[in-house]
Amino acid sequence: MSERTVLRDDQWERIKDLLPGKASDCGVTAKDNRLFVEAVLWIARTGAPWRDLPASFGHWHRVYVRYNRWSHKGVWARIWEAVS
């Protein structure tokens, strides 16, 4: 991934504890929540189809499935509220 990211450090600090997959959560611990959020922001910024997601963000289908799960759980609504 390039050095150019969308999410500033102060924004990341505000949202990181709202995200599922923390070590303190039940179930699987997320490998890299920040990279995943950056991948979703890349899709939103570029308007590209999921299949065009750069490999540096991970496999596009796994990123999409996780995005969809978070959408159904209301995670994105909590994130947008925290950064707005």
Side-chain angles (χ1 to χ4, degrees):
M1 186 170 67
S2 73
E3 293 296 318
R4 187 174 172 187
T5 57
V6 175
L7 199 58
R8 296 186 321 257
D9 289 339
D10 65 306
Q11 291 170 323
W12 174 247
E13 289 300 318
R14 286 194 307 222
I15 68 169
K16 69 179 184 178
D17 294 330
L18 301 172
L19 309 179
K22 296 180 297 297
S24 61
D25 291 346
C26 294
V28 177
T29 300
K31 189 172 186 179
D32 191 341
N33 271 342
R34 187 168 185 168
L35 181 64
F36 167 68
V37 172
E38 288 287 354
V40 172
L41 292 173
W42 186 91
I43 291 291
R45 183 178 74 241
T46 64
W50 286 100
R51 288 180 185 266
D52 291 346
L53 184 70
S56 58
F57 288 114
H59 190 273
W60 72 268
H61 190 259
R62 287 190 293 272
V63 173
Y64 169 75
V65 167
R66 189 172 173 193
Y67 165 81
N68 199 34
R69 275 194 209 122
W70 283 24
S71 294
H72 289 287
K73 291 180 180 181
V75 175
W76 294 115
R78 290 193 302 271
I79 291 171
W80 303 140
E81 186 175 317
V83 297
S84 62

